[in-house]
Amino acid sequence: MKAVEVYLPQDVDKSFIVFREEGNYFPAPWHYHPHYEFVLVTRSTGRRMVGDHIGYFDTDDLVFMGSMLPHVWVNDPVYLQEKSLDRADALVIHFTEDFLGNGFMNIPEMAGFRRVLKLSERGLALRGKTRSRLNRIIKKMPAMSGLERLSSLLIIFDIMSRTKEYDFLASPMFVQNFQYSSSDRFRKISGYIMENFNKDISLSEIASVANMGVTTFCNFFREQFRVTFVEYLTTVRIGHACKLLVDEDRRSVVEIAYECGYNNLANFNKQFKKLKKMTPTDYRKALEIRWR
């Protein structure tokens, strides 16, 4: 399925967008845009697809997505019926990196949130107390005055910069061209993983690429990527598998498993289900559904 580029209309007297999406269902197609985006579902259930991630949403689900990351929210069938009495409702915030000027995101106070912007290139599903705090703020924003709305957004930035209560959505493979850091060390590590993920990569091997000892590398990797090296490598492999599952050549699951670096089909299925909450076969079937 081909993603389309879409934009929300912006008032000329506002620097960013706060928009209520309401109706029988969410009408946006599989799409992307240059804006960063918060999506808070205030009413409805269904599936959301962010990059190569397929998950389920319910009331109070909150996701933060980076620029140009394809996504779509698809309501459950009850909302799509012509005479349905069920209504869908969501609050959406759109902003660009330079919405307060070219240099705003580079001021010292924004250092923590700049890191979040990089993380958001995979999409972040908020959870726990962080989600509750952000939801309370976002639900009040449509009725706020301009300056109050802006100050609330900055509070959201501050909360986001200090929390660890989120889950990544899209896999690293889906967004393999993203730049998490400008350091040569990061580029070498990321590049090596992307070129060799279908092979066995030992900790000593990848540590030598970074010119580090194994223990130092493990600590560095977890600090930068928020997961262990093994966990990251698994998400890269499963992300590539997701791409192959929807390719037109229709390779078998066994062929895909081997191409992604798995010599054991049972282990591949186990790791895939752990990350995607469904089997490879079910994932392929889910993507064949017509997204509305």
Side-chain angles (χ1 to χ4, degrees), residues 17-28:
I17 298 169
V18 177
F19 176 79
R20 182 177 293 279
E21 182 79 80
E22 58 184 336
N24 290 101
Y25 60 90
F26 301 137

Side-chain angles (χ1 to χ4, degrees), residues 245 253 268-269 272 278-288:
L245 283 166
V253 173
F268 170 68
N269 286 328
F272 193 100
M278 63 182 74
T279 66
T281 300
D282 288 340
Y283 182 89
R284 174 175 269 168
K285 290 178 180 178
L287 286 179
E288 290 173 347

Side-chain angles (χ1 to χ4, degrees), residues 115 119 122 124 166 168 172 178-181 183 185-191 193-194 206 210 217-233 235-236:
R115 183 183 182 87
L119 296 175
R122 288 178 59 188
L124 306 175
Y166 54 77
F168 288 108
F178 83 120
Q179 292 296 316
Y180 186 96
S181 169
S183 70
R185 177 172 286 167
F186 174 84
R187 286 197 295 270
K188 287 179 181 178
I189 294 171
S190 182
I193 293 172
M194 293 304 176
I206 190 65
F217 169 79
C218 288
N219 292 335
F220 169 82
F221 195 95
R222 190 170 185 85
E223 178 183 352
Q224 293 297 311
F225 290 79
R226 302 291 183 91
V227 293
T228 66
F229 167 69
V230 173
E231 290 170 336
Y232 185 88
L233 180 60
T235 59
V236 170

Side-chain angles (χ1 to χ4, degrees), residues 17-80:
I17 298 169
V18 177
F19 176 79
R20 182 177 293 279
E21 182 79 80
E22 58 184 336
N24 290 101
Y25 60 90
F26 301 137
W30 173 239
H31 68 285
Y32 63 91
H33 44 69
H35 296 79
Y36 292 90
E37 179 175 11
F38 285 95
V39 177
L40 166 59
V41 177
T42 56
R43 186 168 54 190
S44 186
T45 59
R47 292 168 297 158
R48 51 169 157 75
M49 183 173 180
V50 179
D52 56 5
H53 168 86
I54 298 176
Y56 296 88
F57 68 83
D58 201 341
T59 297
D60 286 334
D61 182 71
L62 178 63
V63 171
F64 179 50
M65 293 171 290
S67 174
M68 310 304 281
L69 178 60
H71 56 278
V72 67
W73 268 239
V74 180
N75 306 89
D76 281 333
V78 64
Y79 295 90
L80 305 177

Side-chain angles (χ1 to χ4, degrees), residues 91-109:
L91 290 170
V92 179
I93 299 174
H94 275 196
F95 64 91
T96 59
E97 191 166 352
D98 61 352
F99 81 107
L100 291 179
N102 291 330
F104 176 73
M105 288 295 177
N106 292 320
I107 63 175
E109 291 82 357

Side-chain angles (χ1 to χ4, degrees), residues 38-216:
F38 285 95
V39 177
L40 166 59
V41 177
T42 56
R43 186 168 54 190
S44 186
T45 59
R47 292 168 297 158
R48 51 169 157 75
M49 183 173 180
V50 179
D52 56 5
H53 168 86
I54 298 176
Y56 296 88
F57 68 83
D58 201 341
T59 297
D60 286 334
D61 182 71
L62 178 63
V63 171
F64 179 50
M65 293 171 290
S67 174
M68 310 304 281
L69 178 60
H71 56 278
V72 67
W73 268 239
V74 180
N75 306 89
D76 281 333
V78 64
Y79 295 90
L80 305 177
Q81 297 172 7
E82 186 175 349
K83 296 182 180 180
S84 174
L85 298 178
D86 293 281
R87 302 283 291 177
D89 189 88
L91 290 170
V92 179
I93 299 174
H94 275 196
F95 64 91
T96 59
E97 191 166 352
D98 61 352
F99 81 107
L100 291 179
N102 291 330
F104 176 73
M105 288 295 177
N106 292 320
I107 63 175
E109 291 82 357
M110 297 302 295
F113 190 66
R114 286 199 301 273
R115 183 183 182 87
V116 175
L117 292 182
K118 288 295 184 182
L119 296 175
S120 73
E121 293 178 355
R122 288 178 59 188
L124 306 175
L126 282 303
R127 51 181 168 78
K129 293 181 180 179
T130 298
R131 185 177 75 170
S132 297
R133 290 182 65 192
L134 294 178
N135 285 3
R136 286 195 296 270
I137 295 171
I138 294 173
K139 288 177 181 179
K140 296 177 182 178
M141 290 178 72
M144 291 180 180
S145 63
L147 191 56
E148 186 181 15
R149 182 182 295 187
L150 176 58
S151 65
S152 294
L153 184 62
L154 296 180
I155 290 173
I156 290 172
F157 289 175
D158 179 58
I159 295 171
M160 290 289 295
S161 69
R162 292 183 287 110
T163 188
K164 294 183 179 179
E165 291 185 305
Y166 54 77
D167 297 314
F168 288 108
L169 299 180
S171 69
M173 177 55 67
F174 188 88
V175 290
Q176 62 180 303
N177 294 322
F178 83 120
Q179 292 296 316
Y180 186 96
S181 169
S182 61
S183 70
D184 290 337
R185 177 172 286 167
F186 174 84
R187 286 197 295 270
K188 287 179 181 178
I189 294 171
S190 182
Y192 192 86
I193 293 172
M194 293 304 176
E195 291 174 7
N196 298 279
F197 67 87
N198 59 338
K199 307 171 186 176
D200 289 330
I201 305 176
S202 67
L203 276 174
S204 59
E205 179 183 354
I206 190 65
S208 67
V209 171
N211 196 27
M212 292 177 168
V214 171
T215 301
T216 303

